[in-house]
Amino acid sequence: MKNLIIVESPTKVKTIKTFLGKDYAVVASKGHIRDLPKSSFGIKIEDGVFVPEYRTPRDHSKVVKEIKDLAKKAETIYIATDEDREGEAIGFHIATAIGKDPAELPRIVFHEITKTAIKHALENPKKLDFSSINAQQTRRLLDRIVGYKLSPLLASKIQKGLSAGRVQSSTLKIIVDREKEIRAFKPVEFWSLDGIFDKNIESILTKFDGEKIEKMTISGGDRAKEIKTRLDNESFVVASIDKKERKSSPSPAFMTSTLQQTASSSLGFSPKKTMMVAQTLYEGVKTHQGTMGIITYMRTDSLSVAKEAIEAAREQILNSYGEKYLPKEAKYYKSKSKGAQEAHEAIRPTLIDFTPAIAKDYLKPDELKLYSLIYNRFLASQMNSARFESQSIIFKSESGEFKASGRKLLFDGFYRAYGVSDKDKLLPDLELNQSIELTKLEANQHFTEPPSRYSEASLIKKIESLGIGRPSTYAPTISTLVARMYISIEKKQLIPSENAFTVIDLLEKHFSEIVDSSFTSNMEETLDLIAEDEADWQEVLNKFYEPFMKKIEDGKANIKSLKVITPTGEDCPDCGEPLVKRKGRFGEFISCSTFPKCKYTKNLGKKEKKEVVTLSVKCPECGSGIVERISRRGKFYGCSAYPKCKFISNYEPIDETCTECGGMMTRRELKTKIVKECIKCKNKIENAK
């Protein structure tokens, strides 16, 4: 063995080995082989200099020994970790752990794991980038300072087990702020007048007595009925027919945030699952040309694409769809993200002739779904725009105007590859000034809706727009908030716990910078400057540390405890002191009032399950009874014959039938209205309380 290549992942080892001969050995570090210790602060500070005290975890000692042994036999050792700051830092730690000078070892980078990319990297070795390493170290130390110093304060003032983090807490504030908006929201009533004209043309009232009618213009039912009465007795003509051609342009290839958002909305994947599947596609799978990585690096905020890949995509478009789908010139995109690293590439397929049709014989179902999404999005990004004809007709009477809108697809363009879900909504051919009958007119009551809770996808879009975190932190941040029980995910909505409100309120009052998105975003930009060798990492740490620690000390002395402690009236069996009921991370428990001097604790038993309530209505599928049940996600209604019958409803079934289709109706009570909805045709009836 003449050469040793050190990568991060064992899967990469298998893939890269297939490209190289017997002169190369490939070994995986399995991620970080050195980190700050878990049991102590791990940062030594002397005269304003921050020295991280890295340790090799026990579970990595065997890996380090293996790499050391292989390194002794190798003439050349290549560091081949991921092409980002984390990868640079891992390479630095590998070199240090095996007793080599990090500045001397050749460093190879590749954004795709293919034979061509690996050989090109070996022919063009670089050196580790110490500016990027310092940027990563700064991030790691900042996160340790915040987590190690602030988390115990929260635990002592609010509840044991709580934690805080630089990116975590500013993200949590966004979720909590939205929930506060929802709780403070007061619905406002408004009405619309919806007309159906001859030939079943749906329309909405847009003008009445010269006044433009917009959402919330008609605020009361009496006014709506008055307008309806007048319009019911008037004659209408076609006042205008407008047809315009519009274009719909393709989106660029994915970057991390847009991949996570689209996979969530299109495939139902969580960001964590998306990144796990993408990691597999990047590191290597079986293809019709052997094992290789079939997408480029998946942690990126860049929209740049290699010229060779664009040329391959254009050739594929020409061969698969024809000349009319191919633009005269290639399309180039640029990221609008703060601090985007344009030297990287967007996420794209590495082998353009490994089409989803071929891939289905090699990939697992989830892998195929995500790969198809990435492949089709990339191909579509280099195709011609789709063209539509937008149609609008104005129907006019003496008092009012109604508008009907339609759309017709003229040329599918990039939709040919990416797909289009919108169906044509065509309006019939009419003539100007012809009379037309208003066959149906309804005055419909509505209420303004509160802002919707964030989903994982919409939260990622939000924190990306604010510059909070980077592609590698989006999914882990959400996972941390769930693991710490700050949020729960129900029906794809992120719902903060009461602890989240308490923590954010305390942080806003005493540590405003930790939850300030601008501060967090500016810190990310500062890390970028360190990576570009335009800022000193020690100065950045000093500037943050001293004022932060003053606030910590002030908080220990002056922040009032918010812990809820209730006497039980019983004495501790160990020491005789009074027992109290406390609230902990996993719910209520009983402990000695002298804790931690006396460590007696007792878990409170789980609450008895609520009795099953049987409703008076029958199951629409089998005729059995319907029962009300409680799950960890809340109340729901199901057939009493479960599991033989799997009927289920999130809303309460009632003994009424739909006037449209005869199906069962359900009922839900909101703050200001009662909504009845058919489980079959979704016909909805809204009534004010």
Side-chain angles (χ1 to χ4, degrees):
M1 177 193 71
K2 294 181 180 179
N3 305 286
L4 175 65
I5 298 177
I6 306 172
V7 297
E8 294 174 45
S9 162
T11 308
K12 287 184 188 177
V13 172
K14 296 177 184 177
T15 307
I16 294 173
K17 274 184 176 178
T18 63
F19 306 141
L20 303 173
K22 60 183 180 180
D23 288 340
Y24 289 87
V26 189
V27 66
S29 71
K30 298 180 181 178
H32 276 282
I33 62 173
R34 293 201 318 161
D35 199 2
L36 298 175
K38 292 182 179 179
S39 58
S40 62
F41 185 42
I43 304 172
K44 191 176 180 181
I45 307 172
E46 290 184 354
D47 299 324
V49 177
F50 291 74
V51 181
E53 299 175 322
Y54 294 117
R55 301 283 187 272
T56 299
R58 287 182 182 178
D59 58 355
H60 267 72
S61 56
K62 189 176 178 181
V63 173
V64 173
K65 185 179 182 303
E66 180 189 3
I67 297 174
K68 276 185 177 180
D69 291 342
L70 288 170
K72 289 175 184 176
K73 303 172 187 176
E75 293 179 12
T76 308
I77 302 169
Y78 293 96
I79 300 295
T81 47
D82 287 343
E83 57 159 347
D84 54 18
R85 291 176 199 164
E86 201 75 16
E88 293 294 323
I90 291 173
F92 167 80
H93 290 305
I94 289 170
T96 306
I98 64 175
K100 301 294 181 180
D101 184 350
E104 295 300 322
L105 291 186
R107 169 25 164 177
I108 58 173
V109 294
F110 39 83
H111 62 267
E112 59 185 66
I113 304 177
T114 59
K115 187 174 183 178
T116 303
I118 299 301
K119 287 195 170 183
H120 181 268
L122 287 168
E123 290 167 2
N124 299 275
K126 304 177 181 179
K127 296 292 182 183
L128 284 166
D129 182 351
F130 278 82
S131 295
S132 290
I133 293 167
N134 288 337
Q136 191 278 338
Q137 287 194 112
T138 308
R139 177 191 292 278
R140 185 71 186 95
L141 269 58
L142 281 170
D143 290 344
R144 171 54 63 98
I145 291 166
V146 173
Y148 207 87
K149 299 298 184 182
L150 185 52
S151 296
L153 182 63
L154 295 179
S156 68
K157 299 297 181 180
I158 302 175
Q159 179 181 305
K160 190 176 180 181
L162 296 180
S163 71
R166 191 176 53 85
V167 174
Q168 165 193 321
S169 297
S170 57
T171 302
L172 181 60
K173 183 179 184 300
I174 293 170
I175 300 170
V176 168
D177 283 350
R178 175 60 58 87
E179 195 69 20
K180 287 178 178 178
E181 286 181 55
I182 294 170
R183 292 184 180 186
F185 179 81
K186 293 182 179 179
V188 176
E189 178 189 12
F190 68 97
W191 291 71
S192 68
L193 281 103
D194 305 307
I196 297 179
F197 284 83
D198 192 20
K199 299 185 180 180
N200 206 32
I201 305 171
E202 295 179 359
S203 64
I204 58 170
L205 180 68
T206 56
K207 269 188 183 180
F208 184 75
D209 274 350
E211 179 188 1
K212 202 171 182 180
I213 305 296
E214 297 175 332
K215 184 177 179 180
M216 299 178 67
T217 298
I218 306 172
S219 57
D222 291 342
R223 175 63 174 156
K225 289 170 187 174
E226 177 191 327
I227 294 172
K228 180 180 183 302
T229 301
R230 282 181 58 183
L231 293 174
D232 272 334
N233 296 302
E234 293 184 356
S235 300
F236 287 84
V237 297
V238 177
S240 73
I241 301 172
D242 188 26
K243 295 181 180 180
K244 291 181 180 178
E245 186 172 311
R246 301 186 184 278
K247 288 184 178 181
S248 177
S249 300
S251 298
F254 287 122
M255 54 184 177
T256 303
S257 60
T258 52
L259 176 64
Q260 291 175 354
Q261 292 166 45
T262 307
S264 176
S265 58
S266 299
L267 306 178
F269 286 7
S270 68
K272 184 177 180 180
K273 179 177 180 177
T274 297
M275 297 311 288
M276 286 174 64
V277 176
Q279 184 88 30
T280 301
L281 300 179
Y282 167 68
E283 291 183 346
V285 294
K286 289 183 179 179
T287 74
H288 63 308
Q289 293 187 15
T291 299
M292 67 178 70
I294 58 172
I295 65 168
T296 51
Y297 191 53
M298 64 286 155
R299 293 186 183 92
T300 177
D301 49 13
S302 171
L303 296 178
S304 298
V305 173
K307 186 178 179 182
E308 297 79 7
I310 291 177
E311 290 173 353
R314 287 174 61 81
E315 186 177 346
Q316 180 76 0
I317 293 164
L318 187 62
N319 294 336
S320 299
Y321 305 121
E323 192 173 341
K324 64 180 180 177
Y325 289 91
L326 185 69
K328 291 182 180 179
E329 296 181 356
K331 296 188 175 186
Y332 295 91
Y333 301 88
K334 191 169 183 180
S335 176
K336 296 178 182 178
S337 299
K338 292 182 179 181
Q341 300 179 51
E342 295 295 340
H344 294 174
E345 279 200 71
I347 305 168
R348 61 167 176 82
T350 60
L351 193 63
I352 202 69
D353 62 357
F354 189 56
T355 63
I358 296 172
K360 67 181 174 57
D361 295 328
Y362 297 90
L363 302 182
K364 295 175 183 177
D366 284 344
E367 293 170 354
L368 180 61
K369 288 176 185 177
L370 192 65
Y371 179 70
S372 299
L373 204 64
I374 293 167
Y375 185 98
N376 293 333
R377 171 84 164 226
F378 173 62
L379 208 62
S381 72
Q382 291 300 321
M383 295 175 71
N384 272 322
S385 299
R387 298 199 321 275
F388 294 89
E389 180 183 83
S390 65
Q391 308 163 329
S392 67
I393 300 176
I394 300 296
F395 303 110
K396 192 172 183 179
S397 68
E398 181 183 348
S399 304
E401 286 185 17
F402 285 82
K403 182 178 180 180
S405 300
R407 191 175 82 155
K408 178 182 179 182
L409 181 64
L410 302 175
F411 173 62
D412 55 0
F414 71 93
Y415 286 135
R416 182 75 183 274
Y418 202 55
V420 58
S421 57
D422 294 340
K423 293 182 179 179
D424 284 352
K425 182 185 176 183
L426 301 178
L427 297 175
D429 290 329
L430 300 173
E431 293 182 5
L432 280 175
N433 300 317
Q434 79 173 74
S435 297
I436 191 161
E437 183 183 356
L438 178 62
T439 58
K440 187 177 181 181
L441 179 59
E442 290 184 342
N444 293 312
Q445 183 189 38
H446 308 275
F447 291 89
T448 54
E449 297 286 343
S452 58
R453 290 188 175 106
Y454 285 105
S455 63
E456 290 178 274
S458 62
L459 179 64
I460 287 170
K461 185 175 182 180
K462 179 68 174 180
I463 62 178
E464 182 199 21
S465 70
L466 294 173
I468 298 174
R470 285 296 182 260
S472 60
T473 65
Y474 299 149
T477 298
I478 295 173
S479 296
T480 298
L481 292 175
V482 172
R484 293 289 182 180
M485 298 185 183
Y486 281 133
I487 63 171
S488 58
I489 303 176
E490 298 180 15
K491 297 179 181 177
K492 294 189 176 182
Q493 295 182 322
L494 305 183
I495 304 173
S497 66
E498 290 306 314
N499 270 343
F501 285 88
T502 306
V503 168
I504 292 302
D505 287 345
L506 185 148
L507 292 177
E508 278 188 297
K509 187 174 181 180
H510 300 281
F511 297 90
S512 57
E513 73 279 8
I514 297 300
V515 291
D516 181 7
S517 60
S518 297
F519 173 84
T520 308
S521 173
N522 291 337
M523 184 58 73
E524 293 294 344
E525 292 177 8
T526 301
L527 293 173
D528 292 339
L529 292 175
I530 295 171
E532 294 159 10
D533 201 22
E534 293 181 12
D536 182 88
W537 70 296
Q538 291 287 342
E539 286 183 11
V540 170
L541 288 169
N542 266 301
K543 190 175 179 181
F544 173 79
Y545 184 76
E546 290 187 16
F548 177 72
M549 288 308 299
K550 285 180 181 177
K551 287 188 176 184
I552 291 288
E553 294 307 316
D554 180 69
K556 288 178 181 179
N558 299 317
I559 295 177
K560 185 179 178 181
S561 176
L562 301 174
K563 286 186 173 181
V564 178
I565 301 173
T566 309
T568 66
E570 299 176 358
D571 293 332
C572 174
D574 289 354
C575 70
E577 294 295 325
L579 289 175
V580 294
K581 185 188 291 184
R582 301 177 189 268
K583 193 174 182 182
R585 180 179 170 189
F586 299 103
E588 290 185 327
F589 66 99
I590 290 174
S591 73
C592 182
S593 57
T594 65
F595 181 86
K597 182 179 178 181
C598 173
K599 293 183 169 56
Y600 172 80
T601 61
K602 181 176 75 171
N603 291 327
L604 291 174
K606 291 183 178 178
K607 293 180 181 178
E608 293 183 6
K609 290 184 177 179
K610 291 186 178 180
E611 292 183 9
V612 174
V613 179
T614 304
L615 277 63
S616 60
V617 294
K618 300 296 182 184
C619 173
E621 295 184 8
C622 73
S624 301
I626 293 178
V627 294
E628 174 189 304
R629 300 182 187 273
I630 303 292
S631 75
R632 63 185 181 88
R633 293 182 178 273
K635 186 187 294 185
F636 71 98
Y637 303 87
C639 181
S640 60
Y642 178 85
K644 286 184 179 179
C645 176
K646 293 184 170 58
F647 168 79
I648 191 170
S649 171
N650 290 325
Y651 307 123
E652 179 186 1
I654 56 176
D655 195 15
E656 291 183 21
T657 55
C658 176
T659 56
E660 299 288 333
C661 71
M664 173 183 279
M665 297 294 285
T666 62
R667 179 182 184 277
R668 49 187 162 137
E669 192 169 323
L670 305 179
K671 286 182 179 179
T672 59
K673 61 181 176 179
I674 295 171
V675 179
K676 296 179 182 179
E677 184 176 310
C678 175
I679 62 171
K680 195 173 180 181
C681 72
K682 304 303 179 185
N683 175 38
K684 191 179 291 186
I685 301 170
E686 297 181 1
N687 295 309
K689 283 187 178 179

